[in-house]
Coordinates of all heavy atoms in Angstrom, one line a residue:
M149 N -3.4 22.5 -19.6 CA -4.0 23.0 -20.9 C -4.5 24.5 -20.7 O -4.2 25.4 -21.5 CB -5.2 22.1 -21.3 CG -5.8 22.6 -22.6 SD -4.7 22.3 -24.0 CE -5.1 20.6 -24.4
A150 N -5.2 24.7 -19.5 CA -5.7 26.1 -19.2 C -4.6 27.1 -19.1 O -4.6 28.2 -19.6 CB -6.6 26.0 -18.0
L151 N -3.5 26.6 -18.4 CA -2.3 27.5 -18.2 C -1.7 27.8 -19.5 O -1.2 28.9 -19.7 CB -1.4 26.9 -17.2 CG -1.9 26.7 -15.7 CD1 -0.8 26.0 -14.9 CD2 -2.2 28.1 -15.1
A152 N -1.5 26.8 -20.3 CA -0.9 27.0 -21.6 C -1.7 27.9 -22.5 O -1.1 28.8 -23.1 CB -0.7 25.6 -22.3
A153 N -3.0 27.8 -22.5 CA -3.8 28.7 -23.2 C -3.7 30.1 -22.7 O -3.7 31.1 -23.5 CB -5.3 28.2 -23.2
A154 N -3.7 30.3 -21.4 CA -3.6 31.6 -20.8 C -2.3 32.3 -21.1 O -2.2 33.5 -21.4 CB -3.8 31.5 -19.2
K155 N -1.2 31.5 -21.2 CA 0.1 32.0 -21.5 C 0.1 32.5 -23.0 O 0.9 33.4 -23.3 CB 1.2 31.0 -21.3 CG 1.6 30.9 -19.8 CD 2.6 29.8 -19.6 CE 2.8 29.6 -18.1 NZ 3.4 28.3 -17.8
E156 N -0.8 31.9 -23.8 CA -0.9 32.4 -25.2 C -1.9 33.5 -25.3 O -2.3 33.8 -26.4 CB -1.3 31.2 -26.1 CG -0.3 30.1 -26.2 CD 1.0 30.6 -26.8 OE1 1.0 31.4 -27.8 OE2 2.1 30.1 -26.3
K157 N -2.3 34.1 -24.2 CA -3.2 35.3 -24.1 C -4.6 35.0 -24.5 O -5.4 35.9 -24.9 CB -2.7 36.4 -25.0 CG -1.2 36.8 -24.8 CD -1.0 37.5 -23.5 CE 0.4 37.9 -23.2 NZ 0.8 37.8 -21.8
W158 N -5.0 33.7 -24.4 CA -6.4 33.3 -24.6 C -7.2 33.7 -23.3 O -6.6 33.6 -22.2 CB -6.6 31.9 -24.9 CG -6.1 31.5 -26.2 CD1 -4.9 31.3 -26.7 CD2 -7.0 31.2 -27.4 NE1 -4.8 30.9 -28.0 CE2 -6.1 30.9 -28.5 CE3 -8.4 31.2 -27.6 CZ2 -6.6 30.6 -29.7 CZ3 -8.8 30.9 -28.9 CH2 -8.0 30.6 -29.9
K159 N -8.5 34.0 -23.4 CA -9.3 34.2 -22.2 C -9.7 32.8 -21.7 O -10.2 32.0 -22.5 CB -10.6 34.9 -22.6 CG -10.5 36.4 -22.5 CD -11.9 37.0 -22.6 CE -11.8 38.5 -22.3 NZ -13.2 39.1 -22.4
V160 N -9.4 32.5 -20.4 CA -9.6 31.2 -19.9 C -10.4 31.2 -18.6 O -10.3 32.1 -17.8 CB -8.2 30.5 -19.6 CG1 -8.4 29.2 -18.9 CG2 -7.3 30.4 -20.8
A161 N -11.4 30.3 -18.5 CA -12.1 30.1 -17.3 C -12.0 28.7 -16.9 O -12.0 27.8 -17.7 CB -13.6 30.5 -17.5
I162 N -11.8 28.5 -15.6 CA -11.7 27.1 -15.1 C -12.9 26.8 -14.2 O -13.2 27.6 -13.3 CB -10.4 27.0 -14.2 CG1 -9.2 27.1 -15.1 CG2 -10.4 25.6 -13.5 CD1 -7.9 27.0 -14.4
I163 N -13.6 25.7 -14.5 CA -14.7 25.3 -13.6 C -14.3 23.9 -13.1 O -14.1 23.0 -13.8 CB -16.0 25.2 -14.4 CG1 -16.3 26.5 -15.0 CG2 -17.1 24.6 -13.6 CD1 -17.5 26.5 -16.0
E164 N -14.2 23.9 -11.7 CA -13.7 22.6 -11.1 C -14.7 22.3 -10.0 O -15.0 23.1 -9.1 CB -12.3 22.8 -10.5 CG -11.7 21.6 -10.0 CD -11.4 20.5 -11.0 OE1 -10.5 20.7 -11.8 OE2 -12.1 19.5 -10.9
K165 N -15.3 21.1 -10.0 CA -16.3 20.7 -9.0 C -15.6 20.6 -7.6 O -16.2 21.1 -6.6 CB -16.8 19.3 -9.4 CG -18.1 19.0 -8.7 CD -18.7 17.7 -9.2 CE -19.9 17.3 -8.5 NZ -20.4 15.9 -8.9
K166 N -14.5 20.0 -7.5 CA -13.8 19.9 -6.2 C -12.5 20.8 -6.2 O -12.5 21.8 -6.8 CB -13.5 18.4 -5.9 CG -14.8 17.6 -5.7 CD -14.4 16.2 -5.2 CE -15.7 15.4 -5.0 NZ -15.4 14.0 -4.8
A167 N -11.5 20.3 -5.6 CA -10.2 21.0 -5.6 C -9.5 21.0 -6.9 O -9.6 20.0 -7.6 CB -9.3 20.5 -4.5
I168 N -8.7 22.0 -7.2 CA -7.9 22.0 -8.4 C -6.6 21.2 -8.2 O -6.0 21.3 -7.1 CB -7.5 23.5 -8.8 CG1 -8.8 24.2 -9.2 CG2 -6.5 23.5 -9.9 CD1 -8.6 25.7 -9.6
G169 N -6.2 20.4 -9.2 CA -4.9 19.7 -9.0 C -4.9 18.4 -9.7 O -3.8 17.8 -10.0
G170 N -6.1 17.9 -10.1 CA -6.1 16.6 -10.8 C -6.2 15.4 -10.0 O -5.9 15.3 -8.8
T171 N -6.7 14.3 -10.6 CA -6.9 13.0 -9.9 C -5.6 12.5 -9.4 O -5.6 12.0 -8.2 CB -7.5 12.0 -10.9 OG1 -8.8 12.5 -11.4 CG2 -7.8 10.7 -10.2
C172 N -4.5 12.5 -10.1 CA -3.3 11.8 -9.7 C -2.8 12.4 -8.4 O -2.5 11.7 -7.4 CB -2.2 11.9 -10.8 SG -0.7 11.0 -10.4
A173 N -2.7 13.7 -8.3 CA -2.1 14.4 -7.1 C -3.1 14.3 -6.0 O -2.7 14.2 -4.8 CB -1.7 15.8 -7.5
L174 N -4.4 14.5 -6.2 CA -5.3 14.7 -5.1 C -6.1 13.4 -4.6 O -6.4 13.3 -3.4 CB -6.3 15.8 -5.4 CG -5.7 17.1 -5.9 CD1 -6.9 18.1 -6.1 CD2 -4.7 17.6 -4.8
W175 N -6.4 12.5 -5.6 CA -7.2 11.4 -5.2 C -6.6 10.0 -5.7 O -7.1 9.0 -5.3 CB -8.6 11.5 -5.7 CG -9.3 12.7 -5.2 CD1 -9.9 12.8 -3.9 CD2 -9.5 14.0 -5.8 NE1 -10.4 14.0 -3.7 CE2 -10.2 14.8 -4.9 CE3 -9.2 14.5 -7.0 CZ2 -10.6 16.1 -5.1 CZ3 -9.6 15.8 -7.3 CH2 -10.3 16.6 -6.4
G176 N -5.7 10.1 -6.6 CA -5.2 8.9 -7.2 C -3.8 8.5 -6.8 O -3.6 8.1 -5.6
C177 N -2.8 8.6 -7.7 CA -1.5 8.1 -7.5 C -0.8 8.5 -6.1 O -0.4 7.6 -5.4 CB -0.5 8.5 -8.6 SG -1.3 8.8 -10.2
V178 N -0.8 9.8 -5.8 CA -0.1 10.3 -4.7 C -0.7 9.8 -3.3 O 0.0 9.1 -2.6 CB 0.1 11.8 -4.7 CG1 0.7 12.3 -3.4 CG2 0.9 12.2 -5.9
P179 N -2.0 10.0 -3.1 CA -2.5 9.5 -1.8 C -2.4 8.0 -1.7 O -2.2 7.4 -0.6 CB -4.0 10.0 -1.8 CG -4.2 10.6 -3.1 CD -2.9 10.8 -3.8
K180 N -2.6 7.3 -2.8 CA -2.5 5.8 -2.8 C -1.1 5.4 -2.4 O -1.0 4.5 -1.5 CB -2.8 5.3 -4.2 CG -2.6 3.8 -4.4 CD -2.6 3.3 -5.8 CE -1.3 3.7 -6.5 NZ -1.3 3.3 -7.9
K181 N -0.1 6.1 -2.9 CA 1.3 5.7 -2.5 C 1.6 6.0 -1.1 O 2.3 5.2 -0.4 CB 2.3 6.3 -3.5 CG 2.3 5.6 -4.8 CD 3.1 6.3 -5.9 CE 2.8 5.5 -7.2 NZ 3.3 6.2 -8.4
V182 N 1.1 7.1 -0.6 CA 1.3 7.4 0.9 C 0.7 6.3 1.7 O 1.3 5.7 2.7 CB 0.6 8.7 1.2 CG1 0.6 8.9 2.7 CG2 1.4 9.9 0.6
L183 N -0.6 5.8 1.4 CA -1.2 4.8 2.2 C -0.6 3.4 2.0 O -0.5 2.7 3.0 CB -2.7 4.8 1.9 CG -3.5 6.1 2.3 CD1 -4.9 6.0 1.9 CD2 -3.3 6.4 3.8
I184 N -0.2 3.2 0.8 CA 0.5 1.9 0.6 C 1.8 1.8 1.4 O 2.2 0.7 1.9 CB 0.8 1.7 -0.9 CG1 -0.5 1.2 -1.6 CG2 1.8 0.6 -1.2 CD1 -0.4 1.1 -3.1
S185 N 2.5 2.9 1.5 CA 3.8 2.9 2.3 C 3.5 2.4 3.7 O 4.3 1.7 4.3 CB 4.5 4.2 2.3 OG 3.7 5.2 3.0
G186 N 2.3 2.8 4.3 CA 2.0 2.4 5.7 C 1.7 0.9 5.7 O 2.2 0.2 6.6
E187 N 1.0 0.4 4.7 CA 0.7 -1.0 4.6 C 2.0 -1.8 4.5 O 2.2 -2.9 5.1 CB -0.3 -1.3 3.5 CG -0.9 -2.7 3.5 CD 0.1 -3.8 3.0 OE1 0.9 -3.5 2.1 OE2 0.0 -4.9 3.5
E188 N 2.9 -1.3 3.6 CA 4.2 -2.0 3.4 C 5.0 -2.1 4.7 O 5.6 -3.1 5.0 CB 5.0 -1.3 2.4 CG 4.5 -1.6 1.0 CD 5.2 -0.7 -0.1 OE1 5.9 0.3 0.2 OE2 5.1 -1.1 -1.3
L189 N 5.0 -1.0 5.5 CA 5.7 -1.0 6.8 C 5.1 -2.0 7.7 O 5.8 -2.8 8.4 CB 5.5 0.4 7.4 CG 6.3 0.7 8.7 CD1 7.8 0.5 8.5 CD2 6.0 2.0 9.3
A190 N 3.7 -2.1 7.8 CA 3.1 -3.1 8.7 C 3.4 -4.5 8.2 O 3.7 -5.4 9.0 CB 1.5 -2.8 8.7
N191 N 3.3 -4.7 6.9 CA 3.6 -6.0 6.4 C 5.0 -6.5 6.6 O 5.2 -7.6 7.0 CB 3.3 -6.0 4.8 CG 3.4 -7.3 4.2 OD1 4.5 -7.7 3.7 ND2 2.4 -8.1 4.2
F192 N 5.9 -5.6 6.5 CA 7.4 -5.9 6.7 C 7.6 -6.3 8.2 O 8.2 -7.3 8.5 CB 8.2 -4.7 6.3 CG 9.7 -5.0 6.5 CD1 10.4 -5.8 5.6 CD2 10.4 -4.4 7.5 CE1 11.7 -6.1 5.7 CE2 11.8 -4.7 7.6 CZ 12.4 -5.5 6.7
S193 N 6.9 -5.5 9.0 CA 7.0 -5.7 10.5 C 6.5 -7.1 10.8 O 7.1 -7.8 11.6 CB 6.3 -4.6 11.2 OG 6.4 -4.7 12.6
Q194 N 5.3 -7.5 10.2 CA 4.7 -8.8 10.5 C 5.6 -9.9 10.0 O 5.8 -11.0 10.7 CB 3.4 -8.9 9.8 CG 2.2 -8.2 10.5 CD 1.0 -8.1 9.7 OE1 0.9 -8.7 8.6 NE2 0.0 -7.3 10.1
R195 N 6.3 -9.8 8.9 CA 7.2 -10.8 8.4 C 8.4 -11.0 9.3 O 8.9 -12.1 9.4 CB 7.5 -10.5 6.9 CG 6.4 -10.8 6.0 CD 6.7 -10.7 4.5 NE 6.9 -9.4 4.1 CZ 7.9 -8.9 3.4 NH1 8.9 -9.7 3.1 NH2 8.0 -7.6 3.1
M196 N 8.9 -9.8 9.8 CA 10.0 -9.9 10.7 C 9.6 -10.7 12.0 O 10.3 -11.6 12.4 CB 10.4 -8.5 11.2 CG 11.0 -7.6 10.1 SD 12.7 -7.7 10.0 CE 13.2 -6.8 11.4
A197 N 8.4 -10.4 12.5 CA 7.9 -11.1 13.7 C 7.7 -12.6 13.4 O 8.1 -13.4 14.2 CB 6.6 -10.4 14.2
A198 N 7.2 -12.9 12.2 CA 6.9 -14.3 11.9 C 8.3 -15.1 11.8 O 8.3 -16.3 12.0 CB 6.2 -14.4 10.5
A199 N 9.3 -14.4 11.5 CA 10.7 -15.0 11.4 C 11.4 -15.0 12.7 O 12.5 -15.4 12.8 CB 11.5 -14.3 10.4
G200 N 10.6 -14.6 13.8 CA 11.2 -14.6 15.1 C 12.1 -13.4 15.4 O 12.8 -13.4 16.4
L201 N 12.0 -12.4 14.6 CA 12.8 -11.2 14.8 C 11.9 -10.1 15.5 O 10.8 -10.0 15.2 CB 13.3 -10.7 13.5 CG 14.2 -11.7 12.7 CD1 14.4 -11.2 11.3 CD2 15.5 -11.9 13.4
S202 N 12.5 -9.4 16.5 CA 11.7 -8.4 17.2 C 11.4 -7.3 16.3 O 12.3 -6.8 15.6 CB 12.4 -8.0 18.4 OG 13.7 -7.4 18.1
S203 N 10.2 -6.8 16.3 CA 9.8 -5.7 15.4 C 8.5 -5.1 16.0 O 7.5 -5.8 16.2 CB 9.6 -6.2 14.0 OG 9.0 -5.2 13.2
N204 N 8.5 -3.8 16.2 CA 7.3 -3.2 16.7 C 7.0 -1.9 15.9 O 6.5 -1.0 16.4 CB 7.4 -2.9 18.2 CG 8.6 -1.9 18.4 OD1 9.3 -1.6 17.5 ND2 8.8 -1.6 19.7
T205 N 7.3 -2.1 14.6 CA 7.1 -0.9 13.7 C 5.8 -1.0 13.0 O 5.6 -1.7 12.1 CB 8.2 -0.8 12.6 OG1 9.4 -1.2 13.2 CG2 8.3 0.5 12.0
T206 N 4.8 -0.3 13.6 CA 3.5 -0.2 13.0 C 3.1 1.2 12.7 O 3.4 2.1 13.5 CB 2.4 -0.8 13.9 OG1 2.5 -0.3 15.2 CG2 2.5 -2.3 14.0
P207 N 2.5 1.5 11.5 CA 2.2 2.9 11.2 C 1.1 3.4 12.1 O 0.2 2.7 12.5 CB 1.8 2.8 9.8 CG 1.3 1.4 9.6 CD 2.1 0.5 10.5
D208 N 1.2 4.7 12.3 CA 0.1 5.4 13.0 C -0.9 5.9 11.9 O -0.5 6.8 11.2 CB 0.6 6.5 13.8 CG -0.5 7.3 14.6 OD1 -1.6 7.4 14.0 OD2 -0.3 7.7 15.7
W209 N -2.0 5.1 11.7 CA -2.8 5.4 10.5 C -3.4 6.8 10.5 O -3.6 7.4 9.5 CB -3.9 4.3 10.4 CG -3.3 3.0 10.0 CD1 -3.1 1.9 10.8 CD2 -2.8 2.6 8.7 NE1 -2.5 0.9 10.1 CE2 -2.3 1.3 8.8 CE3 -2.7 3.3 7.5 CZ2 -1.7 0.6 7.7 CZ3 -2.1 2.6 6.4 CH2 -1.6 1.3 6.5
S210 N -3.8 7.3 11.7 CA -4.4 8.6 11.7 C -3.3 9.7 11.4 O -3.6 10.7 10.7 CB -5.0 8.9 13.1 OG -4.1 8.8 14.1
E211 N -2.0 9.4 11.8 CA -1.0 10.4 11.4 C -0.7 10.3 9.9 O -0.5 11.4 9.3 CB 0.3 10.0 12.1 CG 0.5 10.7 13.4 CD 1.9 10.4 14.0 OE1 2.8 10.0 13.3 OE2 2.1 10.6 15.2
L212 N -0.8 9.1 9.4 CA -0.5 8.9 7.9 C -1.6 9.6 7.1 O -1.4 10.3 6.1 CB -0.5 7.4 7.6 CG 0.3 7.1 6.4 CD1 1.8 7.5 6.4 CD2 0.3 5.6 6.1
M213 N -2.9 9.5 7.6 CA -4.0 10.1 6.9 C -3.9 11.6 7.0 O -4.1 12.3 6.0 CB -5.4 9.7 7.6 CG -5.8 8.3 7.2 SD -6.1 8.1 5.4 CE -7.7 8.9 5.3
A214 N -3.4 12.1 8.2 CA -3.3 13.6 8.3 C -2.2 14.1 7.4 O -2.3 15.1 6.8 CB -2.9 13.9 9.8
F215 N -1.1 13.3 7.3 CA 0.0 13.6 6.3 C -0.5 13.7 4.9 O -0.2 14.6 4.1 CB 1.2 12.6 6.5 CG 2.2 12.8 5.4 CD1 3.1 13.9 5.4 CD2 2.3 11.9 4.4 CE1 4.0 14.0 4.5 CE2 3.3 12.0 3.4 CZ 4.2 13.1 3.4
K216 N -1.3 12.6 4.5 CA -1.9 12.6 3.2 C -2.7 13.8 2.9 O -2.6 14.4 1.8 CB -2.7 11.3 3.0 CG -3.4 11.1 1.7 CD -4.4 10.1 1.7 CE -5.7 10.5 2.3 NZ -6.8 10.8 1.5
H217 N -3.6 14.2 3.9 CA -4.4 15.4 3.7 C -3.5 16.7 3.5 O -3.8 17.5 2.7 CB -5.4 15.6 4.9 CG -6.5 14.6 4.9 ND1 -7.2 14.3 3.8 CD2 -7.0 13.8 5.9 CE1 -8.1 13.4 4.1 NE2 -8.0 13.0 5.4
R218 N -2.5 16.8 4.4 CA -1.6 18.0 4.3 C -0.9 18.0 2.9 O -0.9 19.1 2.3 CB -0.5 17.9 5.3 CG -0.9 18.4 6.7 CD 0.3 18.8 7.6 NE 1.3 17.7 7.6 CZ 1.3 16.7 8.5 NH1 0.3 16.5 9.3 NH2 2.3 15.8 8.5
L219 N -0.5 16.9 2.5 CA 0.3 16.8 1.2 C -0.7 17.2 0.0 O -0.3 18.0 -0.8 CB 0.8 15.4 1.0 CG 1.8 15.1 -0.1 CD1 3.1 15.9 0.1 CD2 2.1 13.6 -0.3
T220 N -1.8 16.5 -0.1 CA -2.7 16.8 -1.2 C -3.3 18.2 -1.1 O -3.4 18.9 -2.1 CB -3.9 15.8 -1.2 OG1 -4.6 15.8 0.0 CG2 -3.4 14.4 -1.5
R221 N -3.5 18.7 0.1 CA -3.9 20.1 0.2 C -2.9 21.1 -0.3 O -3.2 22.1 -1.0 CB -4.3 20.5 1.7 CG -5.2 21.6 1.9 CD -5.6 21.9 3.3 NE -6.0 20.8 4.0 CZ -5.5 20.3 5.2 NH1 -4.4 20.9 5.7 NH2 -5.9 19.3 5.8
S222 N -1.6 20.8 0.0 CA -0.5 21.7 -0.5 C -0.4 21.6 -2.0 O -0.2 22.6 -2.7 CB 0.8 21.4 0.2 OG 1.4 20.2 -0.4
F223 N -0.6 20.4 -2.6 CA -0.6 20.3 -4.1 C -1.8 21.2 -4.6 O -1.6 21.9 -5.6 CB -0.8 18.9 -4.5 CG 0.4 18.0 -4.3 CD1 0.2 16.6 -4.2 CD2 1.6 18.5 -4.4 CE1 1.3 15.8 -4.0 CE2 2.7 17.7 -4.2 CZ 2.6 16.3 -4.0
S224 N -2.9 21.1 -4.0 CA -4.1 21.8 -4.5 C -3.8 23.3 -4.4 O -4.2 24.1 -5.3 CB -5.3 21.4 -3.8 OG -6.4 22.1 -4.3
Q225 N -3.3 23.8 -3.3 CA -3.0 25.2 -3.1 C -2.0 25.7 -4.1 O -2.1 26.8 -4.6 CB -2.5 25.4 -1.6 CG -3.6 25.4 -0.6 CD -3.2 25.3 0.8 OE1 -2.0 25.1 1.1 NE2 -4.1 25.4 1.7
D226 N -0.9 24.9 -4.4 CA 0.0 25.2 -5.4 C -0.6 25.4 -6.8 O -0.3 26.4 -7.5 CB 1.2 24.2 -5.5 CG 2.1 24.2 -4.3 OD1 2.0 25.1 -3.5 OD2 2.9 23.2 -4.1
S227 N -1.5 24.4 -7.1 CA -2.1 24.5 -8.4 C -3.0 25.7 -8.5 O -3.0 26.4 -9.5 CB -3.0 23.3 -8.6 OG -2.3 22.1 -8.7
R228 N -3.7 26.0 -7.4 CA -4.6 27.2 -7.3 C -3.8 28.5 -7.5 O -4.2 29.4 -8.3 CB -5.3 27.2 -6.0 CG -6.6 28.0 -6.0 CD -7.2 27.9 -4.6 NE -8.3 28.8 -4.5 CZ -9.5 28.6 -4.9 NH1 -9.8 27.4 -5.4 NH2 -10.5 29.5 -4.8
S229 N -2.6 28.5 -6.8 CA -1.8 29.7 -7.0 C -1.3 29.9 -8.4 O -1.3 31.0 -8.9 CB -0.6 29.6 -6.0 OG -1.0 29.5 -4.7
R230 N -0.8 28.8 -9.0 CA -0.3 28.9 -10.4 C -1.4 29.4 -11.3 O -1.2 30.2 -12.1 CB 0.1 27.5 -10.8 CG 1.6 27.2 -10.6 CD 2.1 26.1 -11.5 NE 1.3 24.9 -11.4 CZ 1.4 24.0 -10.5 NH1 2.3 24.2 -9.5 NH2 0.7 22.9 -10.5
C231 N -2.7 28.9 -11.1 CA -3.8 29.3 -11.9 C -4.1 30.8 -11.7 O -4.3 31.6 -12.6 CB -5.0 28.5 -11.6 SG -4.9 26.8 -12.2
K232 N -4.1 31.2 -10.4 CA -4.4 32.6 -10.1 C -3.4 33.6 -10.7 O -3.7 34.6 -11.1 CB -4.5 32.8 -8.5 CG -5.8 32.6 -8.0 CD -5.8 33.0 -6.5 CE -7.2 32.9 -5.9 NZ -7.2 33.0 -4.4
N233 N -2.1 33.1 -10.6 CA -1.0 34.0 -11.1 C -1.0 34.1 -12.6 O -0.4 35.0 -13.1 CB 0.3 33.5 -10.6 CG 0.4 33.6 -9.1 OD1 -0.3 34.5 -8.5 ND2 1.3 32.8 -8.4
T234 N -1.5 33.1 -13.3 CA -1.4 33.0 -14.7 C -2.7 33.5 -15.5 O -2.6 34.1 -16.5 CB -1.0 31.6 -15.2 OG1 0.0 31.2 -14.3 CG2 -0.6 31.6 -16.6
I235 N -3.8 33.1 -14.9 CA -5.1 33.3 -15.6 C -5.8 34.6 -15.1 O -5.8 34.9 -13.9 CB -6.0 32.1 -15.4 CG1 -5.4 30.9 -16.0 CG2 -7.4 32.3 -16.0 CD1 -6.0 29.6 -15.7
Ligands
FAD11 C1 -7.0 5.6 -6.8 C2 -6.2 5.9 -8.1 C3 -4.9 5.5 -8.1 C4 -4.1 5.8 -9.3 N1 -2.8 5.4 -9.3 C5 -2.1 5.7 -10.4 C6 -0.7 5.3 -10.5 O1 -0.1 4.8 -9.5 N2 0.0 5.6 -11.6 C7 -0.6 6.2 -12.7 O2 0.0 6.3 -13.7 N3 -1.9 6.5 -12.7 C8 -2.7 6.3 -11.6 N4 -4.0 6.6 -11.6 C9 -4.6 7.2 -12.8 C10 -4.3 8.7 -12.9 O3 -4.7 9.4 -11.7 C11 -5.0 9.3 -14.1 O4 -4.7 8.5 -15.2 C12 -4.7 10.7 -14.3 O5 -5.0 11.5 -13.2 C13 -5.5 11.2 -15.5 O6 -5.1 12.6 -15.7 P1 -6.0 13.6 -16.4 O7 -5.2 14.9 -16.5 O8 -6.4 13.0 -17.7 O9 -7.3 13.8 -15.6 P2 -7.5 14.3 -14.1 O10 -6.3 14.3 -13.4 O11 -8.7 13.5 -13.6 O12 -8.0 15.8 -14.3 C14 -9.3 16.2 -14.0 C15 -9.4 17.6 -13.6 O13 -8.3 18.1 -13.0 C16 -7.6 19.2 -13.7 N5 -6.2 19.0 -13.6 C17 -5.4 17.9 -13.9 N6 -4.1 18.1 -13.6 C18 -4.0 19.4 -13.1 C19 -2.9 20.1 -12.6 N7 -1.7 19.7 -12.6 N8 -3.2 21.4 -12.1 C20 -4.5 21.9 -12.1 N9 -5.6 21.2 -12.5 C21 -5.3 19.9 -13.0 C22 -8.1 19.0 -15.1 O14 -8.1 20.2 -15.8 C23 -9.5 18.4 -14.9 O15 -10.5 19.4 -14.7 C24 -4.8 6.4 -10.4 C25 -6.1 6.7 -10.3 C26 -6.8 6.5 -9.2 C27 -8.3 6.9 -9.1

């Protein structure tokens, strides 16, 4: 909305308590899906083992969390750049 208004030459100010980018990208859909993918991997591995099949695929949760932070930080930086370049 702010970007659309700025493109129409309106004076725009953005006040954001935390990082710019929105709930979905930074705290909702995207981080949730990254963490769920780790749980799905662990669950699949357990079901393989329960069926007597060898499986040692377990996620490295600290790596996954670090990836989630990198991903959401890059989304936020992109949003910030778009705002800086437009507003
Ligand atoms: C844990 C969790 C998981 C979720 N999972 C899903 C899911 O899987 N599927 C689904 O459909 N919904 C999911 N949601 C809901 C989804 O995140 C919200 O419905 C959606 O974010 C609402 O968008 P909004 O733009 O109304 O508000 P918000 O995203 O909360 O916006 C709040 C603030 O961010 C700013 N903002 C928003 N977008 C941008 C942007 N692109 N760039 C810069 N600033 C921006 C707004 O201006 C505002 O100040 C989930 C929510 C949570 C909390």
